[in-house]
């Protein structure tokens, strides 16, 4: 695939007023989400839940793409239509999570590195055949008194760059996700500093690995105080600090940035995105790639009556997509 074709896909992922729904929870993570609402984590329940999400009427009005987990990309609706086909028929680009999760970084207590490079080329080749056109890899950067270390940041940037180069070789747009984790009592300035050094390292590695930024999407965390920090930050402050950090680290060649929600409330995730777009024009489209902030409310509705509440749950999915789509334009009203 040419760089022009990769660039076209990347631009479609951040088309005006559209964003991504992340439904790529690994089996362990979806188990936690299902446990929270009292649903048994069977393969059929996972399939039925993802069918509810992906067949939401008119979802493509506000959703450009969806990130799936390996199992989901191989599944179909109860009528036997592969999810990838359902998505493409509705103008939603299929994406796939390709990392194999985080593992303790030896020698660095409290820090993790994402694994999954072994055999990745062959897996990407198969995912392309199954219909995926972009792929996601999530690195995790924890903040505590003495961390993150430079070694942890570099190890994760290196893995992200190797994965991104492989994606482009195999015709998939890499969505590179260095998530600076919100857990902790650190303040917003610490989050800013860690996010800045992480993004600098990431873009340095992407450059060294010949990754073409025109065909790459950044999935970023926002600059926020830690979840147990005694100081709070206003919507405007979070938006201003996040923009300042991104503008000082992310090349303007990048086709777009999408945010993860990372444990923010639905309202905050939408309000912060809206405020950043209101403060524009920015060098890149800024949109969303939310997991929890797209799904939580709908999951709670669906869980009450797995087959009886599909319509109501889908109305909630659509509402969250519409709200975040408006926030991607700076047109959302609380
Ligand atoms: P959250 O929006 O729930 O943080 O999930 C997004 C995601 O895909 C994290 O990798």
């Amino acid at each position: 695939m040419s760089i022009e074709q990769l660039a076209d896909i990347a631009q479609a992922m951040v088309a005006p007023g559209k964003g991504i729904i992340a439904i790529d929870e690994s089996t362990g993570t979806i188990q936690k989400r299902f446990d929270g609402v009292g649903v048994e984590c069977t393969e059929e329940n996972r399939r039925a839940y993802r069918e509810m999400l992906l067949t939401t009427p008119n979802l493509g009005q506000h959703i450009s793409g969806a990130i799936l987990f390996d199992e989901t990309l191989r599944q179909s609706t109860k009528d036997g239509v592969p999810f990838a086909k359902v998505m493409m028929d509705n103008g939603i680009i299929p994406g796939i999570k390709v990392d194999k999760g985080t593992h303790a970084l030896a020698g660095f207590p409290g820090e993790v590195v994402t694994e999954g490079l072994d055999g990745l080329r062959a897996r990407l080749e198969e995912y392309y055949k199954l219909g995926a056109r972009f792929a996601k890899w999530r690195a995790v950067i924890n903040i505590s008194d003495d961390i993150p270390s430079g070694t942890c940041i570099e190890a994760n940037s290196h893995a992200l760059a190797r994965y991104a180069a492989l994606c482009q070789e195999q015709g998939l747009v890499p969505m590179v996700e260095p998530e600076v984790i919100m857990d902790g009592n650190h303040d917003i300035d610490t989050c800013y500093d860690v996010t800045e050094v992480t993004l600098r390292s990431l873009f340095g590695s992407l450059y060294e690995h010949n990754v073409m930024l025109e065909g790459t999407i950044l999935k970023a965390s926002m600059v926020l105080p830690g979840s147990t920090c005694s100081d709070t930050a206003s919507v405007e402050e979070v938006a201003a600090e996040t923009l300042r950090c991104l503008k000082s680290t992310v090349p303007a060649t990048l086709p777009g940035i999408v945010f993860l929600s990372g444990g923010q409330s639905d309202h905050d995730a939408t309000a912060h995105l809206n405020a950043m777009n209101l403060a524009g024009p920015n060098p890149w489209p800024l949109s969303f790639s939310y997991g929890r902030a797209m799904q939580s409310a709908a999951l709670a509705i669906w869980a009450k009556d797995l087959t009886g509440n599909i319509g109501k749950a889908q109305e909630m999915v659509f509402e969250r997509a519409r709200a975040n789509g408006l926030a991607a334009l700076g047109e959302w009203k609380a």
Side-chain angles (χ1 to χ4, degrees):
M1 187 175 293
S2 68
I3 180 60
E4 286 77 17
Q5 288 168 304
L6 286 171
D8 285 348
I9 296 166
Q11 282 160 20
M13 288 164 67
V14 289
K18 292 192 186 187
I20 310 278
I21 179 168
I23 58 172
D24 60 331
E25 300 85 2
S26 62
T27 310
T29 303
I30 196 73
Q31 163 113 43
K32 272 191 239 157
R33 307 273 188 265
F34 277 12
D35 285 351
V37 292
V39 172
E40 202 189 339
C41 191
T42 60
E43 182 177 349
E44 173 51 22
N45 280 345
R46 293 193 294 271
R47 191 207 61 75
Y49 174 62
R50 269 85 181 236
E51 173 168 352
M52 179 280 287
L53 295 172
L54 291 170
T55 58
T56 295
N58 303 316
L59 191 62
Q61 282 178 17
H62 306 291
I63 295 292
S64 57
I67 319 171
L68 309 182
F69 185 58
D70 179 272
E71 173 185 273
T72 316
L73 185 61
R74 300 172 193 282
Q75 287 174 327
S76 303
T77 64
K78 65 179 178 315
D79 299 331
V81 186
F83 284 148
K85 175 159 171 34
V86 172
M87 293 167 67
M88 285 184 279
D89 290 349
N90 289 297
I92 297 173
I93 306 168
I96 178 79
K97 168 196 176 77
V98 301
D99 67 70
K100 297 260 185 181
T102 58
H103 295 262
L105 181 65
F108 292 83
E111 299 197 275
V112 292
V113 65
T114 303
E115 296 188 358
L117 289 171
D118 288 355
L120 181 58
R121 178 178 275 128
R123 288 197 290 129
L124 292 171
E125 206 176 332
E126 188 195 7
Y127 289 142
Y128 186 94
K129 287 188 192 138
L130 288 169
R133 290 297 175 268
F134 71 97
K136 185 193 98 169
W137 177 290
R138 173 174 174 259
V140 164
I141 307 296
N142 289 316
I143 303 182
S144 187
D145 289 345
D146 302 323
I147 60 173
S149 64
T151 306
C152 173
I153 290 172
E154 275 169 35
N156 278 293
S157 294
H158 179 257
L160 276 162
R162 285 194 55 200
Y163 130 86
L166 280 164
C167 283
Q168 293 190 332
E169 179 195 271
Q170 296 301 320
L172 287 96
V173 169
M175 177 188 270
V176 291
E177 180 184 14
E179 176 172 1
V180 176
I181 299 290
M182 218 169 119
D183 298 350
N185 60 5
H186 54 273
D187 59 15
I188 191 169
D189 294 340
T190 304
C191 180
Y192 183 102
D193 291 344
V194 171
T195 307
E196 181 180 46
V197 73
T198 299
L199 291 174
R200 272 200 211 298
S201 166
L202 172 63
F203 283 95
S205 294
L206 294 175
Y207 176 75
E208 281 163 16
H209 285 257
N210 290 338
V211 173
M212 295 169 285
L213 293 189
E214 295 82 351
T216 302
I217 294 287
L218 171 66
K219 178 159 175 166
S221 42
M222 296 182 195
V223 175
L224 299 156
S227 52
T228 54
C229 176
S230 49
D231 300 336
T232 53
S234 66
V235 169
E236 291 70 29
E237 189 183 356
V238 170
E241 290 301 278
T242 305
L243 281 176
R244 192 164 69 87
C245 189
L246 292 171
K247 284 179 185 170
S248 76
T249 53
V250 182
T253 344
L254 199 82
I257 300 173
V258 292
F259 293 99
L260 57 100
S261 56
Q264 300 179 61
S265 68
D266 290 6
H267 173 274
D268 286 359
T270 305
H272 290 148
L273 177 63
N274 191 64
M276 283 187 255
N277 281 304
L278 266 182
N282 295 310
W284 346 253
L286 296 177
S287 190
F288 60 95
S289 173
Y290 296 154
R292 283 162 285 179
M294 273 297 303
Q295 296 182 52
S296 300
L299 173 61
I301 297 172
W302 175 78
K304 282 188 206 144
D305 179 356
L306 304 192
T307 48
N309 269 348
I310 291 175
K312 284 203 187 105
Q314 289 181 328
E315 279 171 28
M316 182 54 77
V317 177
F318 185 81
E319 176 47 31
R320 290 300 300 141
R322 193 187 67 86
N324 289 316
L326 287 171
L329 299 168
E331 291 174 6
W332 173 75
K333 301 272 181 295

